[in-house]
Amino acid sequence: MAVTDMGRGVADAPPKVALLNNPRVRGAIYQVLLAVVLVYLVYAGIGNMLGNMERAGISTGFGFLDNTAGFAISQSLIDYDQGVSTYGRVFVVGLLNTLIVAVIGIFFATIIGFLVGVARLSNNWIVNRLATAYVEFFRNIPLLLHIFIWYFGVLRLLPQARDSFDFGFLGLLNNRGYFAPKPIWGEGAMLILYALIAAIAIAWGISRWAHKRQMETGQIFPAFWTGLGLIIGLPLLAFLVMGAPLSWDIPVAGGFRPSGGMTVIPEFLALLVALTTYTAAFIAEIVRAGILGVSKGQSEAAHALGLRQGQNLRLVIIPQALRIIIPPLTSQYLNLTKNSSLAVAIAYPDLVSVFQGTTLNQTGLAPQIVAITMLTYLTISLLTSAFMNWYNNRVALVER
Amino acid sequence: MTKTVLTGVLGAAVLALGASTASAATLDDVKAKGFVQCGVSQGLPGFSNPDADGEWSGMDVDLCRGIAAAIFGDATAVKFTPLSAKERFTALQSGEVDVLSRNTTWTMSRDTQLGLNFAGVNYYDGQGFMIRTDMNINSALELSGASICTNTGTTTELNVADYFRANNMEYELVAFEKADEVVAAYDAGRCDVYTTDQSGLYAQRLKLTDPGAHKVLPEIISKEPLGPVVRQGDDQWFNIIKWVHNATLNAEELGVTMDNVEEMKESDNPAIRRLLGTEGEFGTDIGLDNDWAAKAIAAIGNYGEIFDRNVGPDTELAIGRGVNALWSQGGLQYAPPIR
Ligand SMILES: N[C@@H](CCC(=O)N[C@@H](CS)C(=O)NCC(=O)O)C(=O)O
């Protein structure tokens, strides 16, 4: 041991050279120089900007966030009162509107994308062709056009508020949006929520236990179905026990637009459908590539072990395909989120529209507002990437 | 991590901002490049609107042509930059345009917080509402609960909020970035009401599928003094814009028109002689030739001519002079004298 160590030490000892020619020292010097130059550029840049703004008489600082915003916003997930709420609140309203369309969009785009991707590999000629047609149609037309088609095209087909489509209990549909029944929770409704949380926790525990037992003994426990049963059953039980504490506020037609219920504005629907269908086309291709990327021998081996086709897909193909799918899938999620800023074209009140749009114009403080908006998108994107990277590491092949 | 990113972003913004605001002598820049860069709308008939050949026309456009004529003696020495309501102030602040002449309302915050100056009012307007005739609504006070389409980045957005709040009415605001999308959405029935400056309503109504099926309600809910805007900190340039506009008003008052401007130079009236540069050194003081106003009027005419040609009763917009008549005829248009 000692001998080899010594031997290696001697062989690797760097030849005596001037400190400046030492690659490591040199590298460090370059790094420091680069950092100094960068810091100086940024510092000078900010100084220059502040100076310019001051000279041009443009206010600096972020105090405007506490000023009252005088405009209305057509969709808000939190309380927003025009003429009372501040620009800071406008930012939050816009951010939530961006996030909700992004999250729901990602959810549906993933489902549609997986279905279409698998369908493209189907041996059934019609299914296969339909899936191909879907992909080619949706990914070859610019997204903005999709949004306009869904918004202006579909909007024109919907009836005026006076002659809405009436779905009875399910609400009303007209060119002002979809007016859905709104659930009104009565006393004891919290228990249902607790029951749901408890059910999820138990289901998770069972699945861990089942996995462990299967590893140890090879016995299979139907953890998925038990979990699903729990997650539906427990809250349902709580609901019944509490005496069904739920009533519905059903929208009624009348006036300029129906009153009561919840409104889903057409801008949201158009944007959601456009983002989802467009992104799903890309996801489908990624899924197809991922599945094709798993070598055929894997399936053959699985069949040889006696796995059924479903088990083969679920236990052998998909886990391996996921490793290929996740990184490009992450890009698609980021794209969808960022593309949601096209909302501004159809008056959906997302972050860019209400904050970088309306707020910027009412205050005129472009540098601050653009910086905040960019930073926000950057943060959302970095968080999404971080989450997906974490997930990717989890599904990465564990070699045993 | 986020820190570095923030500074990066700011740094980038700076580089964009840094280059432009520095120069103060806009007139020198304009003379050096040989034309005036003028920010206008993306298409608002009567104010700034490109025709099929890309030729711009309208009151706001004429003001820019007048400025070019006053400087170069050539009304075509001007280039137009179409700007949305949202982009306009940034474009002016960053030096992308020399003057913004785009149905822009003079408000205190725009005047005092944005580093800008309003050089006058070339159209006194007010905000109105347009609605389908078959809705059988005759007053804005019947609009509670209505959906309202408008442009983002305008005073319109704020006025409508004030008005509905003051009258205890509810409404849904649907705000688009581009005026054409507002028109399309209103036309598609997304909104009951289209609100903007009244002049804008008359102009945009021409773009609807069936203009006859829409009417403008009588209420005017705001003051919208529209006028040209320049950057703060360059008084000479500010003066030029201000006085080209004033010259068109003085010309109307004094009976100087596009056609008679040459003869009028020989007039006995000292006010006319000063206006047209036959007497006095008024041009020199703003860095121009003494016949600066004569050149502008020869190119675009006096205020009355500009009004009638672009939005007046004989045009498609058919707007009467109303408050935009000269003060001597019961209107608000009033220019300080040239002396
Ligand atoms: N005067 C108002 C509104 C100006 C405005 O943007 N009006 C719209 C609607 S009339 C417009 O000019 N549209 C034409 C365009 O955007 O090209 C303001 O200065 O904020």
CSV table of all heavy atoms in Angstrom, one decimal, chain A residues 42 45 49 52 56-57 70 72 74 82 148 151-152 155 175-176 256-257 266-267 344-345 347 358 361-364 374 378, chain B residues 5 7 9 14 18 21 85-86 113-115 135 137 144-147 153-154 157-158 161 171 173 175 177 181 185 189-190 192:
chain,number,residue,atom,x,y,z
A,42,VAL,N,-21.6,45.3,-14.3
A,42,VAL,CA,-23.0,45.4,-13.7
A,42,VAL,C,-23.1,46.6,-12.8
A,42,VAL,O,-24.1,47.4,-12.9
A,42,VAL,CB,-23.2,44.1,-12.8
A,42,VAL,CG1,-24.4,44.3,-11.9
A,42,VAL,CG2,-23.4,42.9,-13.7
A,45,GLY,N,-23.2,49.6,-15.0
A,45,GLY,CA,-24.5,49.6,-15.7
A,45,GLY,C,-25.6,50.1,-14.9
A,45,GLY,O,-26.4,51.0,-15.3
A,49,MET,N,-27.8,53.5,-15.4
A,49,MET,CA,-29.2,53.5,-15.5
A,49,MET,C,-29.9,54.5,-14.5
A,49,MET,O,-30.7,55.3,-14.9
A,49,MET,CB,-29.8,52.1,-15.3
A,49,MET,CG,-31.3,52.1,-15.3
A,49,MET,SD,-32.0,50.5,-15.3
A,49,MET,CE,-31.7,50.0,-13.6
A,52,ASN,N,-29.2,58.0,-15.5
A,52,ASN,CA,-30.1,58.3,-16.7
A,52,ASN,C,-31.5,58.6,-16.3
A,52,ASN,O,-32.1,59.5,-16.7
A,52,ASN,CB,-30.0,57.2,-17.7
A,52,ASN,CG,-28.9,57.4,-18.7
A,52,ASN,OD1,-28.5,58.6,-19.0
A,52,ASN,ND2,-28.5,56.4,-19.3
A,56,ALA,N,-33.5,62.0,-16.6
A,56,ALA,CA,-34.7,62.1,-17.4
A,56,ALA,C,-36.0,62.4,-16.5
A,56,ALA,O,-37.1,62.4,-17.1
A,56,ALA,CB,-34.9,60.8,-18.2
A,57,GLY,N,-35.8,62.5,-15.2
A,57,GLY,CA,-36.9,62.8,-14.4
A,57,GLY,C,-37.8,61.6,-14.2
A,57,GLY,O,-39.0,61.7,-13.9
A,70,GLY,N,-56.0,51.6,-9.9
A,70,GLY,CA,-57.3,52.1,-10.2
A,70,GLY,C,-58.1,51.3,-11.3
A,70,GLY,O,-59.1,51.7,-11.7
A,72,ALA,N,-59.8,47.6,-13.1
A,72,ALA,CA,-60.4,46.3,-12.7
A,72,ALA,C,-59.6,45.2,-13.4
A,72,ALA,O,-58.9,45.4,-14.4
A,72,ALA,CB,-61.8,46.3,-13.2
A,74,SER,N,-60.2,41.2,-14.9
A,74,SER,CA,-61.4,40.3,-15.1
A,74,SER,C,-61.4,39.0,-14.5
A,74,SER,O,-62.4,38.3,-14.4
A,74,SER,CB,-61.6,40.2,-16.6
A,74,SER,OG,-60.4,39.6,-17.2
A,82,GLN,N,-60.7,47.0,-7.1
A,82,GLN,CA,-60.1,48.1,-7.9
A,82,GLN,C,-60.4,49.4,-7.1
A,82,GLN,O,-61.4,49.6,-6.6
A,82,GLN,CB,-60.7,48.2,-9.3
A,82,GLN,CG,-62.2,48.3,-9.3
A,82,GLN,CD,-62.6,49.4,-10.2
A,82,GLN,OE1,-61.9,50.3,-10.5
A,82,GLN,NE2,-63.9,49.3,-10.6
A,148,PHE,N,-55.5,32.8,-31.3
A,148,PHE,CA,-56.6,33.6,-32.0
A,148,PHE,C,-57.7,32.7,-32.5
A,148,PHE,O,-58.8,33.1,-32.4
A,148,PHE,CB,-55.9,34.4,-33.1
A,148,PHE,CG,-55.2,35.6,-32.7
A,148,PHE,CD1,-54.1,36.0,-33.3
A,148,PHE,CD2,-55.7,36.3,-31.6
A,148,PHE,CE1,-53.4,37.2,-32.9
A,148,PHE,CE2,-55.0,37.5,-31.1
A,148,PHE,CZ,-53.9,37.9,-31.8
A,151,TYR,N,-59.8,31.8,-29.6
A,151,TYR,CA,-60.5,32.9,-29.0
A,151,TYR,C,-61.5,33.6,-30.0
A,151,TYR,O,-62.7,33.5,-29.7
A,151,TYR,CB,-59.5,34.0,-28.6
A,151,TYR,CG,-60.1,35.1,-27.8
A,151,TYR,CD1,-60.8,34.8,-26.6
A,151,TYR,CD2,-60.1,36.4,-28.2
A,151,TYR,CE1,-61.4,35.8,-25.8
A,151,TYR,CE2,-60.6,37.4,-27.4
A,151,TYR,CZ,-61.3,37.1,-26.2
A,151,TYR,OH,-61.9,38.0,-25.5
A,152,PHE,N,-61.0,34.1,-31.1
A,152,PHE,CA,-61.9,34.8,-32.0
A,152,PHE,C,-62.8,33.8,-32.7
A,152,PHE,O,-64.0,34.1,-33.0
A,152,PHE,CB,-61.1,35.7,-32.9
A,152,PHE,CG,-60.6,36.9,-32.2
A,152,PHE,CD1,-59.2,37.0,-32.1
A,152,PHE,CD2,-61.4,37.8,-31.6
A,152,PHE,CE1,-58.7,38.1,-31.4
A,152,PHE,CE2,-60.9,38.9,-30.9
A,152,PHE,CZ,-59.5,39.1,-30.8
A,155,LEU,N,-65.2,32.1,-30.1
A,155,LEU,CA,-66.1,33.1,-29.4
A,155,LEU,C,-67.3,33.5,-30.3
A,155,LEU,O,-68.4,33.7,-29.9
A,155,LEU,CB,-65.2,34.4,-29.2
A,155,LEU,CG,-65.7,35.4,-28.2
A,155,LEU,CD1,-65.9,34.7,-26.8
A,155,LEU,CD2,-64.8,36.5,-28.0
A,175,ASN,N,-71.0,33.8,-24.9
A,175,ASN,CA,-69.7,34.4,-25.3
A,175,ASN,C,-69.1,35.3,-24.2
A,175,ASN,O,-68.1,36.0,-24.4
A,175,ASN,CB,-69.8,35.2,-26.6
A,175,ASN,CG,-70.9,36.3,-26.5
A,175,ASN,OD1,-71.3,36.7,-25.4
A,175,ASN,ND2,-71.3,36.8,-27.7
A,176,ARG,N,-69.7,35.3,-23.0
A,176,ARG,CA,-69.0,35.9,-21.8
A,176,ARG,C,-68.3,34.9,-21.0
A,176,ARG,O,-67.7,35.2,-20.0
A,176,ARG,CB,-70.1,36.6,-20.9
A,176,ARG,CG,-70.8,37.7,-21.6
A,176,ARG,CD,-69.9,38.8,-22.0
A,176,ARG,NE,-70.3,39.4,-23.3
A,176,ARG,CZ,-71.3,40.2,-23.4
A,176,ARG,NH1,-72.0,40.6,-22.3
A,176,ARG,NH2,-71.7,40.7,-24.6
A,256,PHE,N,-76.9,41.8,-18.3
A,256,PHE,CA,-75.8,41.7,-19.3
A,256,PHE,C,-75.2,40.3,-19.3
A,256,PHE,O,-74.8,39.8,-20.4
A,256,PHE,CB,-74.8,42.7,-19.0
A,256,PHE,CG,-75.2,44.1,-19.4
A,256,PHE,CD1,-75.4,45.1,-18.4
A,256,PHE,CD2,-75.3,44.5,-20.7
A,256,PHE,CE1,-75.8,46.3,-18.8
A,256,PHE,CE2,-75.6,45.7,-21.1
A,256,PHE,CZ,-75.9,46.7,-20.1
A,257,ARG,N,-75.1,39.7,-18.2
A,257,ARG,CA,-74.6,38.3,-18.1
A,257,ARG,C,-75.2,37.6,-16.9
A,257,ARG,O,-75.7,38.3,-16.0
A,257,ARG,CB,-73.1,38.4,-18.1
A,257,ARG,CG,-72.5,39.1,-16.9
A,257,ARG,CD,-71.1,39.4,-17.1
A,257,ARG,NE,-70.7,40.5,-16.3
A,257,ARG,CZ,-69.8,40.5,-15.4
A,257,ARG,NH1,-69.0,39.4,-15.3
A,257,ARG,NH2,-69.5,41.5,-14.6
A,266,PRO,N,-63.8,33.5,-21.1
A,266,PRO,CA,-63.4,32.8,-22.4
A,266,PRO,C,-61.9,33.0,-22.7
A,266,PRO,O,-61.3,32.1,-23.3
A,266,PRO,CB,-64.2,33.6,-23.4
A,266,PRO,CG,-64.9,34.7,-22.8
A,266,PRO,CD,-64.8,34.5,-21.3
A,267,GLU,N,-61.3,34.1,-22.2
A,267,GLU,CA,-59.9,34.3,-22.4
A,267,GLU,C,-59.1,33.1,-21.8
A,267,GLU,O,-58.1,32.6,-22.4
A,267,GLU,CB,-59.4,35.6,-21.8
A,267,GLU,CG,-59.9,36.8,-22.5
A,267,GLU,CD,-61.4,37.2,-22.2
A,267,GLU,OE1,-61.8,36.8,-21.1
A,267,GLU,OE2,-62.1,37.7,-23.0
A,344,VAL,N,-51.6,38.2,-23.3
A,344,VAL,CA,-51.8,39.6,-23.5
A,344,VAL,C,-52.5,39.9,-24.8
A,344,VAL,O,-53.3,40.9,-24.9
A,344,VAL,CB,-50.5,40.4,-23.4
A,344,VAL,CG1,-49.6,40.1,-24.6
A,344,VAL,CG2,-50.7,41.8,-23.2
A,345,ALA,N,-52.4,39.0,-25.8
A,345,ALA,CA,-53.0,39.3,-27.1
A,345,ALA,C,-54.5,39.1,-27.0
A,345,ALA,O,-55.3,39.7,-27.8
A,345,ALA,CB,-52.5,38.3,-28.1
A,347,ALA,N,-56.3,39.5,-23.9
A,347,ALA,CA,-56.9,40.1,-22.7
A,347,ALA,C,-57.0,39.1,-21.6
A,347,ALA,O,-57.8,39.4,-20.7
A,347,ALA,CB,-58.2,40.8,-23.0
A,358,THR,N,-50.5,46.8,-18.0
A,358,THR,CA,-51.3,47.9,-17.4
A,358,THR,C,-50.5,48.7,-16.3
A,358,THR,O,-50.5,49.9,-16.4
A,358,THR,CB,-52.6,47.4,-16.8
A,358,THR,OG1,-53.2,46.6,-17.8
A,358,THR,CG2,-53.6,48.5,-16.5
A,361,ASN,N,-47.9,50.9,-17.6
A,361,ASN,CA,-48.4,52.1,-18.3
A,361,ASN,C,-49.0,53.1,-17.3
A,361,ASN,O,-48.9,54.3,-17.6
A,361,ASN,CB,-49.5,51.7,-19.3
A,361,ASN,CG,-48.9,51.8,-20.7
A,361,ASN,OD1,-48.8,52.9,-21.2
A,361,ASN,ND2,-48.4,50.7,-21.2
A,362,GLN,N,-49.6,52.6,-16.3
A,362,GLN,CA,-50.1,53.6,-15.4
A,362,GLN,C,-49.0,54.3,-14.6
A,362,GLN,O,-49.2,55.4,-14.2
A,362,GLN,CB,-51.1,52.9,-14.4
A,362,GLN,CG,-52.3,52.2,-15.1
A,362,GLN,CD,-53.1,53.1,-16.0
A,362,GLN,OE1,-52.9,54.3,-16.1
A,362,GLN,NE2,-54.0,52.5,-16.8
A,363,THR,N,-47.9,53.6,-14.4
A,363,THR,CA,-46.9,54.2,-13.6
A,363,THR,C,-45.7,54.6,-14.4
A,363,THR,O,-45.0,55.5,-14.1
A,363,THR,CB,-46.3,53.1,-12.6
A,363,THR,OG1,-45.7,52.1,-13.4
A,363,THR,CG2,-47.3,52.6,-11.7
A,364,GLY,N,-45.5,54.0,-15.6
A,364,GLY,CA,-44.4,54.4,-16.5
A,364,GLY,C,-43.1,54.0,-16.0
A,364,GLY,O,-42.0,54.4,-16.6
A,374,MET,N,-39.2,39.9,-15.2
A,374,MET,CA,-38.3,38.9,-15.7
A,374,MET,C,-37.8,38.0,-14.6
A,374,MET,O,-37.7,36.8,-14.7
A,374,MET,CB,-37.1,39.6,-16.3
A,374,MET,CG,-37.4,40.3,-17.6
A,374,MET,SD,-36.0,41.3,-18.2
A,374,MET,CE,-34.9,40.1,-18.8
A,378,LEU,N,-38.1,34.0,-14.3
A,378,LEU,CA,-36.9,33.2,-14.1
A,378,LEU,C,-37.0,32.3,-12.9
A,378,LEU,O,-36.6,31.2,-12.9
A,378,LEU,CB,-35.7,34.2,-13.8
A,378,LEU,CG,-34.4,33.7,-14.0
A,378,LEU,CD1,-34.1,33.4,-15.5
A,378,LEU,CD2,-33.3,34.7,-13.5
B,5,VAL,N,-28.6,37.2,-11.2
B,5,VAL,CA,-29.6,37.3,-12.3
B,5,VAL,C,-30.2,38.7,-12.4
B,5,VAL,O,-30.2,39.3,-13.4
B,5,VAL,CB,-30.7,36.2,-12.1
B,5,VAL,CG1,-31.8,36.5,-13.1
B,5,VAL,CG2,-30.1,34.8,-12.3
B,7,THR,N,-29.0,41.5,-11.3
B,7,THR,CA,-28.1,42.5,-11.8
B,7,THR,C,-27.9,42.3,-13.3
B,7,THR,O,-27.8,43.3,-14.0
B,7,THR,CB,-26.8,42.4,-11.1
B,7,THR,OG1,-26.4,41.0,-11.0
B,7,THR,CG2,-26.8,43.0,-9.7
B,9,VAL,N,-30.0,41.3,-15.5
B,9,VAL,CA,-31.2,41.9,-16.2
B,9,VAL,C,-31.1,43.4,-16.2
B,9,VAL,O,-31.3,44.0,-17.2
B,9,VAL,CB,-32.4,41.4,-15.4
B,9,VAL,CG1,-33.6,42.2,-15.9
B,9,VAL,CG2,-32.7,39.9,-15.7
B,14,VAL,N,-29.9,48.7,-18.8
B,14,VAL,CA,-29.1,49.9,-18.8
B,14,VAL,C,-28.5,50.1,-20.2
B,14,VAL,O,-28.6,51.2,-20.7
B,14,VAL,CB,-27.9,49.6,-17.9
B,14,VAL,CG1,-27.0,50.8,-18.0
B,14,VAL,CG2,-28.3,49.2,-16.6
B,18,GLY,N,-29.0,53.4,-21.6
B,18,GLY,CA,-27.8,54.2,-21.5
B,18,GLY,C,-27.5,55.1,-22.7
B,18,GLY,O,-27.2,56.3,-22.5
B,21,THR,N,-30.7,58.5,-23.8
B,21,THR,CA,-31.2,59.7,-23.1
B,21,THR,C,-30.2,60.8,-23.0
B,21,THR,O,-30.5,61.9,-22.6
B,21,THR,CB,-31.8,59.3,-21.7
B,21,THR,OG1,-31.0,58.3,-21.2
B,21,THR,CG2,-33.2,58.9,-21.8
B,85,ALA,N,-50.5,51.6,-27.4
B,85,ALA,CA,-50.6,52.5,-26.2
B,85,ALA,C,-49.6,52.2,-25.2
B,85,ALA,O,-49.0,53.0,-24.5
B,85,ALA,CB,-52.0,52.4,-25.7
B,86,LYS,N,-49.3,50.9,-25.1
B,86,LYS,CA,-48.4,50.4,-24.1
B,86,LYS,C,-47.0,50.7,-24.4
B,86,LYS,O,-46.2,51.0,-23.4
B,86,LYS,CB,-48.6,48.8,-24.1
B,86,LYS,CG,-48.0,48.1,-23.0
B,86,LYS,CD,-48.3,46.6,-23.1
B,86,LYS,CE,-47.2,45.8,-22.4
B,86,LYS,NZ,-47.4,44.4,-22.6
B,113,GLN,N,-44.0,62.3,-13.9
B,113,GLN,CA,-43.3,61.2,-13.4
B,113,GLN,C,-42.5,60.5,-14.5
B,113,GLN,O,-41.7,59.6,-14.2
B,113,GLN,CB,-44.3,60.2,-12.8
B,113,GLN,CG,-44.9,60.7,-11.5
B,113,GLN,CD,-46.0,59.8,-11.0
B,113,GLN,OE1,-46.2,58.7,-11.6
B,113,GLN,NE2,-46.7,60.2,-10.0
B,114,LEU,N,-42.8,60.7,-15.8
B,114,LEU,CA,-42.2,59.9,-16.8
B,114,LEU,C,-41.0,60.6,-17.5
B,114,LEU,O,-40.5,60.1,-18.4
B,114,LEU,CB,-43.3,59.6,-17.9
B,114,LEU,CG,-44.5,58.9,-17.4
B,114,LEU,CD1,-45.4,58.4,-18.6
B,114,LEU,CD2,-44.1,57.6,-16.6
B,115,GLY,N,-40.7,61.8,-17.1
B,115,GLY,CA,-39.6,62.5,-17.7
B,115,GLY,C,-40.0,63.0,-19.1
B,115,GLY,O,-39.3,63.1,-20.0
B,135,MET,N,-79.4,46.9,-28.2
B,135,MET,CA,-79.4,46.6,-26.8
B,135,MET,C,-80.4,47.5,-26.1
B,135,MET,O,-80.7,47.3,-24.9
B,135,MET,CB,-78.0,46.8,-26.2
B,135,MET,CG,-76.9,46.0,-26.8
B,135,MET,SD,-76.7,44.4,-26.0
B,135,MET,CE,-76.4,44.8,-24.3
B,137,ILE,N,-80.1,50.6,-25.0
B,137,ILE,CA,-79.6,51.3,-23.8
B,137,ILE,C,-79.3,52.7,-24.3
B,137,ILE,O,-78.8,53.0,-25.3
B,137,ILE,CB,-78.3,50.6,-23.3
B,137,ILE,CG1,-78.8,49.3,-22.6
B,137,ILE,CG2,-77.5,51.5,-22.4
B,137,ILE,CD1,-77.9,48.7,-21.7
B,144,SER,N,-74.7,48.9,-15.6
B,144,SER,CA,-74.2,48.1,-14.5
B,144,SER,C,-74.2,46.6,-14.9
B,144,SER,O,-75.2,46.1,-15.4
B,144,SER,CB,-75.1,48.3,-13.3
B,144,SER,OG,-74.5,47.6,-12.2
B,145,GLY,N,-73.1,46.0,-14.6
B,145,GLY,CA,-72.9,44.5,-15.0
B,145,GLY,C,-72.4,44.3,-16.3
B,145,GLY,O,-72.1,43.1,-16.7
B,146,ALA,N,-72.2,45.3,-17.1
B,146,ALA,CA,-71.8,45.1,-18.5
B,146,ALA,C,-70.3,44.7,-18.6
B,146,ALA,O,-69.5,44.9,-17.7
B,146,ALA,CB,-71.9,46.4,-19.3
B,147,SER,N,-70.0,44.0,-19.7
B,147,SER,CA,-68.6,43.7,-20.0
B,147,SER,C,-68.1,44.8,-20.9
B,147,SER,O,-68.7,45.2,-21.9
B,147,SER,CB,-68.5,42.4,-20.8
B,147,SER,OG,-68.9,41.3,-19.9
B,153,GLY,N,-53.0,50.2,-21.0
B,153,GLY,CA,-52.1,51.2,-21.0
B,153,GLY,C,-52.7,52.6,-21.4
B,153,GLY,O,-52.0,53.4,-21.9
B,154,THR,N,-53.9,52.7,-21.2
B,154,THR,CA,-54.6,54.0,-21.5
B,154,THR,C,-55.2,54.6,-20.3
B,154,THR,O,-55.4,54.0,-19.3
B,154,THR,CB,-55.7,53.8,-22.5
B,154,THR,OG1,-56.6,52.8,-21.9
B,154,THR,CG2,-55.2,53.2,-23.8
B,157,GLU,N,-58.8,53.0,-19.2
B,157,GLU,CA,-58.9,51.9,-18.2
B,157,GLU,C,-59.2,52.5,-16.8
B,157,GLU,O,-60.0,52.0,-16.1
B,157,GLU,CB,-57.5,51.3,-18.1
B,157,GLU,CG,-57.4,49.9,-18.6
B,157,GLU,CD,-56.0,49.4,-18.5
B,157,GLU,OE1,-55.1,50.2,-18.5
B,157,GLU,OE2,-55.9,48.2,-18.4
B,158,LEU,N,-58.5,53.6,-16.5
B,158,LEU,CA,-58.7,54.2,-15.2
B,158,LEU,C,-60.0,55.0,-15.1
B,158,LEU,O,-60.7,54.9,-14.1
B,158,LEU,CB,-57.5,55.2,-14.9
B,158,LEU,CG,-56.2,54.6,-14.8
B,158,LEU,CD1,-55.1,55.6,-14.6
B,158,LEU,CD2,-56.1,53.5,-13.7
B,161,ALA,N,-63.0,52.8,-14.5
B,161,ALA,CA,-63.0,52.3,-13.1
B,161,ALA,C,-63.6,53.4,-12.2
B,161,ALA,O,-64.5,53.1,-11.4
B,161,ALA,CB,-61.6,52.0,-12.7
B,171,TYR,N,-68.8,46.1,-13.3
B,171,TYR,CA,-68.5,45.8,-14.6
B,171,TYR,C,-67.4,44.8,-14.7
B,171,TYR,O,-66.7,44.6,-13.8
B,171,TYR,CB,-68.1,47.2,-15.3
B,171,TYR,CG,-66.7,47.7,-14.9
B,171,TYR,CD1,-65.7,47.6,-15.8
B,171,TYR,CD2,-66.5,48.2,-13.7
B,171,TYR,CE1,-64.4,48.1,-15.4
B,171,TYR,CE2,-65.3,48.7,-13.3
B,171,TYR,CZ,-64.3,48.6,-14.2
B,171,TYR,OH,-63.0,49.1,-13.8
B,173,LEU,N,-63.9,44.2,-16.9
B,173,LEU,CA,-63.0,44.9,-17.9
B,173,LEU,C,-62.3,43.9,-18.7
B,173,LEU,O,-61.6,43.0,-18.1
B,173,LEU,CB,-62.1,45.8,-17.1
B,173,LEU,CG,-61.1,46.6,-18.0
B,173,LEU,CD1,-61.9,47.8,-18.6
B,173,LEU,CD2,-59.9,47.1,-17.3
B,175,ALA,N,-59.3,44.0,-21.2
B,175,ALA,CA,-58.4,44.9,-21.8
B,175,ALA,C,-57.3,44.3,-22.7
B,175,ALA,O,-56.6,43.4,-22.3
B,175,ALA,CB,-57.6,45.6,-20.6
B,177,GLU,N,-54.1,44.6,-25.7
B,177,GLU,CA,-53.0,45.4,-25.9
B,177,GLU,C,-53.1,46.2,-27.2
B,177,GLU,O,-52.8,47.3,-27.3
B,177,GLU,CB,-51.7,44.6,-26.0
B,177,GLU,CG,-50.5,45.5,-26.1
B,177,GLU,CD,-49.2,44.7,-26.1
B,177,GLU,OE1,-49.2,43.5,-25.8
B,177,GLU,OE2,-48.2,45.4,-26.4
B,181,GLU,N,-57.4,44.3,-31.8
B,181,GLU,CA,-58.0,43.2,-31.1
B,181,GLU,C,-59.2,43.6,-30.2
B,181,GLU,O,-60.2,42.9,-30.0
B,181,GLU,CB,-57.0,42.5,-30.2
B,181,GLU,CG,-56.1,41.6,-31.0
B,181,GLU,CD,-54.6,41.6,-30.6
B,181,GLU,OE1,-54.3,42.0,-29.5
B,181,GLU,OE2,-53.8,41.3,-31.5
B,185,ALA,N,-62.8,41.8,-30.7
B,185,ALA,CA,-63.5,41.2,-29.6
B,185,ALA,C,-64.8,41.9,-29.4
B,185,ALA,O,-65.8,41.2,-29.2
B,185,ALA,CB,-62.6,41.3,-28.3
B,189,GLY,N,-68.7,40.2,-30.1
B,189,GLY,CA,-69.7,40.1,-29.0
B,189,GLY,C,-69.2,39.8,-27.6
B,189,GLY,O,-69.9,39.5,-26.7
B,190,ARG,N,-67.8,39.8,-27.5
B,190,ARG,CA,-67.3,39.5,-26.2
B,190,ARG,C,-67.7,40.5,-25.2
B,190,ARG,O,-67.8,40.2,-24.0
B,190,ARG,CB,-65.7,39.4,-26.3
B,190,ARG,CG,-65.0,39.3,-25.0
B,190,ARG,CD,-65.3,38.0,-24.2
B,190,ARG,NE,-64.6,37.9,-23.0
B,190,ARG,CZ,-65.2,38.3,-21.8
B,190,ARG,NH1,-66.3,38.8,-21.7
B,190,ARG,NH2,-64.5,38.1,-20.7
B,192,ASP,N,-70.2,44.1,-24.2
B,192,ASP,CA,-71.4,44.9,-24.5
B,192,ASP,C,-71.0,46.3,-25.0
B,192,ASP,O,-71.7,46.9,-25.8
B,192,ASP,CB,-72.3,45.1,-23.3
B,192,ASP,CG,-72.6,43.7,-22.6
B,192,ASP,OD1,-73.3,43.0,-23.3
B,192,ASP,OD2,-72.1,43.5,-21.5
